Amino acid sequence: MNGRTLLTSLPMAVKRSELPARRSARWLGPRDVFGFIHRAALRSEGLSTKAITDRPVIGVCSSWSELVNCNLHLRGLTEAIKRGVWQAGGLPLEFPTISLGENLMKPTTMLYRNLMSMDVEETIRSNPLDAVVLLGACDKTVPAQLMGAVSVDVPAIVFTGGPMQPGCFRGKRLGTGTDLWRYTDDLRAGRMTPPEYAELEAAATPSTGHCSEMGTASTMACITEALGIALPGTAAIPAVNARRAAAAEETGRRAVELAEEGLRPSSIITVEALENAITVLAAIAGSTNAILHLIAIAGRLGLELPLQRFDDIARKTPVLTNVQPAGELLFEDIDRAGGVPALLHELGSLLHLDAPTVTGHTMRETVAAAVNHDRDVIRTLADPHKPAGGLAVLRGSLAPEGAVIKTSAASPALLNHRGRAIVFDDIEDVIARIDDPLLPVDPSSVLVLRNAGPLGAPGMPEWGMLPIPQKLLAQGVTDMVRVSDARMSGTGYGTVVLHATPESAVGGPLHAVCDGDEIELDLESRRIDLCVPAEEIQRRLAEKPLPERRYQRGYGAIYLDHVLQADAGVDFDILRRRPDEKAEDEPYGLLEGWVTGW
Ligand code: FES
């Protein structure tokens, strides 16, 4: 077949304004020099004219990277998604974005979540895509992709990578992070030897896939199903299970239908869907990081999602799943019990069942079709794993705009506690002094970390689960009240108050705490207070200079200029959408009409 034959098989010349609604046709349809360039670009990839015209173009947005061990299998899943796209009559085009790996990236992936979301948004907007499959796994990759996709609001469906095969240490399955923290405390307390710790390292991560317990990645995977933006039953399938590739194929097929139906994320991720996601977050005792991500996703859609809504919903939602760190099992057990649909089935009456989903059906149909195969893994509302209130939003003189605590992974005896502060000015101060035998700490002390918030660190790292001082570990102390403006890994646990807002670096009350001040945590009244007169707090804040700005150039400087506080999801002010503002999927520069009519 020569070039002339290919050209004559193109559609009749039409003006771009007369082209069908399919987005890609605006690039690939016109008989002008620009259409020529667009088609020729794809033909250089070995695609025939038949493959690039008259079919929806599906982007496969992959966060595969050798810098992100949790996402290493995504290349194989991309092939399965593309298979599904071809089967359904679409043209799949895979594209990379930056990727965010929790383990290697410093100071924290959260510093780069918004950057990745901008990469995703702009790549979708600027290319001939009719729908996109968002393929991510490690903690921040999924929210970043969602934030980007809802910002441009082209039809989208999420497919997550699934949990890794759990490590096995001395006959016990390992929670990737939760057991790491426990055994690290054992090492520091002298209950484990360095050779045993090395043995643990060799056993901890036997495969690709995301963390094996209810960390942030598992939480966000559950949330994509609860939002209705992923196919039901896909979240918990293990990364290395063949069913995951089959589910990827099905997701690819559905993406083609979404392109034809024009079903946009803004039609699926409504306030009701966000509330369903919060209900699931509470029922799985999920990661507190999801609070930030959901607020940010809502903000990109022009929707208000106040922090208080999380507390309101958590108060009436019991914890149903028995998964680490708030339970004993692992995320793969959820799959065995019937996956997220089985959880949704048990939550039934607490959900907005009329919420639309990416399947084209409502949440009601997902719930009706699901069966819970193991009520030791997913309990019922009548017989929950833990009572309602597994996470809580606190306010008080130490966090006037809010703080959060995962009560389901805390010590009940510490949830109403008053103790004297031991203050660490930053994470380097923690490393330097936490195990100092002279540190004036006892089990009733409250450990305080400041300068670890969105601007302070910067990037709000997962430093909030401050280590228990070694001398107390040796006495058998396993938990203390800790307060910071930092985040905590979803795999973490303990009586840890996080996201104190406003943060210390912008002059929040954490900035004024002194060693020996009393701090009171009162869960019942949802209070976290610095027990110092308000005038004294103001006097200290007025006298104490704020830390210096860390970044003067590059992305770091852009981040510092635009990042918002935790109660706004740590998003950039310039990326949130006004309630009356429509998403813009039309790129500038899509020209038409030059050299036409051949
Ligand atoms: Fe990537 Fe936990 S480190 S999912």
Side-chain angles (χ1 to χ4, degrees):
M1 187 181 287
N2 61 32
R4 181 167 176 76
T5 314
L6 286 172
L7 273 177
T8 52
S9 67
L10 289 170
M12 292 296 291
V14 287
K15 279 184 171 296
R16 192 170 274 112
S17 54
E18 295 165 358
L19 285 167
R22 191 181 286 163
R23 210 171 162 266
S24 61
R26 290 178 242 161
W27 276 259
L28 302 175
R31 293 284 300 276
D32 59 19
V33 74
F34 302 112
F36 174 106
I37 293 167
H38 301 151
R39 290 185 295 272
L42 291 178
R43 285 177 57 189
S44 80
E45 296 184 13
L47 294 162
S48 67
T49 301
K50 186 174 171 53
I52 64 179
T53 54
D54 282 340
R55 56 175 72 221
V57 181
I58 310 300
V60 183
C61 172
S62 171
S63 59
W64 177 89
S65 167
E66 286 184 340
L67 295 173
V68 187
N69 61 297
C70 324
N71 292 14
L72 205 63
H73 60 309
L74 298 192
R75 268 206 172 148
L77 292 176
T78 303
E79 291 310 310
I81 291 168
K82 290 161 84 171
R83 208 161 59 226
V85 171
W86 283 119
Q87 287 166 11
L91 166 62
L93 293 176
E94 177 186 353
F95 63 93
T97 62
I98 61 165
S99 191
L100 311 176
E102 292 298 312
N103 295 316
L104 299 181
M105 198 169 217
K106 306 298 173 203
T108 164
T109 50
M110 191 64 177
L111 182 66
Y112 302 105
R113 183 202 59 178
N114 298 344
L115 178 63
M116 181 173 173
S117 79
M118 293 166 76
D119 184 348
V120 171
E121 174 184 347
E122 299 304 336
T123 304
I124 295 172
R125 180 179 293 113
S126 57
N127 282 286
L129 302 175
D130 297 303
V132 63
V133 179
L134 305 168
L135 178 61
C138 199
D139 295 12
K140 306 299 177 300
T141 56
V142 172
Q145 288 176 334
L146 260 175
M147 289 161 66
V150 303
S151 297
V152 66
D153 206 22
V154 163
I157 186 168
V158 173
F159 190 73
T160 53
M164 71 165 67
Q165 191 178 351
C168 186
F169 184 62
R170 298 180 174 173
K172 179 181 170 295
R173 287 187 308 163
L174 291 170
T176 317
T178 307
D179 279 317
L180 169 64
W181 312 131
R182 289 194 208 289
Y183 283 119
T184 301
D185 276 353
D186 282 352
L187 177 75
R188 294 173 62 238
R191 295 188 290 268
M192 191 179 204
T193 64
E196 288 171 326
Y197 199 61
E199 195 187 326
L200 174 70
E201 181 183 317
T205 47
S207 84
T208 181
H210 63 66
C211 289
S212 60
E213 67 276 76
M214 195 57 79
T216 304
S218 300
T219 300
M220 289 310 301
C222 292
I223 276 178
T224 61
E225 286 197 41
L227 286 172
I229 197 76
L231 291 184
T234 53
I237 304 171
V240 297
N241 190 312
R243 283 169 43 237
R244 177 153 291 282
E249 195 180 292
E250 190 182 343
T251 298
R253 286 194 295 270
R254 181 60 192 146
V256 176
E257 294 169 359
L258 286 177
E260 301 290 38
E261 294 163 8
L263 184 58
R264 294 173 183 263
S266 58
S267 302
I268 296 168
I269 305 181
T270 59
V271 169
E272 288 74 23
L274 289 161
E275 291 187 346
N276 283 346
I278 299 172
T279 301
V280 164
L281 173 64
I284 59 177
S287 167
T288 45
N289 290 325
I291 298 172
L292 304 172
H293 301 323
L294 282 170
I295 292 173
I297 291 165
R300 298 291 182 95
L301 286 158
L303 302 172
E304 276 302 315
L305 192 61
L307 193 52
Q308 189 57 38
R309 192 81 54 89
F310 290 83
D311 194 83
D312 296 342
I313 292 174
R315 276 180 190 265
K316 60 184 183 186
T317 308
V319 177
L320 298 193
T321 59
N322 179 16
V323 177
Q324 295 182 31
E328 291 143 19
L329 304 173
L330 297 176
F331 194 45
E332 65 174 13
D333 297 309
I334 298 278
D335 180 54
R336 193 168 45 75
V340 175
L343 172 67
L344 297 169
H345 179 83
E346 297 296 353
L347 285 170
S349 60
L350 296 181
L351 298 170
H352 296 289
L353 293 173
D354 291 325
T357 75
V358 80
T359 62
H361 306 292
T362 63
M363 183 60 76
R364 187 183 308 282
E365 284 149 292
T366 302
V367 166
V371 178
N372 183 356
H373 297 292
D374 191 337
R375 288 192 163 158
D376 287 335
V377 179
I378 302 173
R379 307 286 282 269
T380 64
L381 289 175
D383 180 26
H385 173 56
K386 293 196 174 183
L391 70 86
V393 175
L394 311 171
R395 288 177 204 280
S397 60
L398 198 48
E401 303 302 328
V404 302
I405 181 169
K406 193 201 283 192
T407 46
S408 51
S411 302
L414 288 173
L415 291 172
N416 192 340
H417 178 84
R418 189 172 174 129
R420 294 201 176 276
I422 304 276
V423 184
F424 298 93
D425 264 325
D426 52 34
I427 194 65
E428 285 84 7
D429 193 19
V430 176
I431 303 292
R433 293 196 297 128
I434 193 74
D435 288 336
D436 184 341
L438 299 178
L439 189 73
V441 66
D442 65 47
S444 74
S445 301
V446 175
L447 303 181
V448 174
L449 170 65
R450 60 181 161 221
N451 295 318
L455 285 113
M460 205 181 181
E462 294 179 337
W463 294 338
M465 184 179 147
L466 293 171
I468 305 294
Q470 200 166 17
K471 66 181 180 185
L472 297 184
L473 277 178
Q475 294 169 23
V477 175
T478 56
D479 195 7
M480 298 173 72
V481 175
R482 287 155 273 182
V483 183
S484 74
D485 45 15
R487 295 180 299 118
M488 175 173 80
S489 166
T491 65
Y493 53 86
T495 311
V496 184
V497 177
L498 302 154
H499 310 184
T501 306
E503 64 172 301
S504 172
V506 297
L510 268 183
H511 193 58
V513 185
C514 294
D515 279 335
D517 286 347
E518 285 201 315
I519 289 175
E520 183 167 25
L521 166 63
D522 181 355
L523 178 70
E524 182 106 356
S525 57
R526 298 294 194 267
R527 301 277 310 175
I528 181 75
D529 284 304
L530 176 59
C531 305
V532 169
E535 317 78 62
E536 172 62 10
I537 295 176
Q538 288 311 317
R539 188 193 64 75
R540 292 182 192 174
L541 289 176
E543 285 182 359
K544 189 172 177 192
L546 295 175
E548 280 184 14
R549 182 180 162 102
R550 184 177 291 266
Y551 298 117
Q552 306 301 330
R553 66 166 299 279
Y555 172 73
I558 295 170
Y559 173 94
L560 291 176
D561 285 342
H562 293 287
V563 75
L564 299 168
Q565 291 289 284
D567 59 340
V570 198
D571 202 1
F572 288 170
D573 52 3
I574 49 171
L575 294 176
R576 286 161 67 89
R577 203 192 302 167
R578 293 188 309 274
D580 59 346
E581 190 180 342
K582 279 189 73 68
E584 181 54 76
D585 73 355
E586 183 83 15
Y588 172 71
L590 191 49
L591 306 174
E592 65 176 298
W594 186 49
V595 190
T596 59
W598 67 80

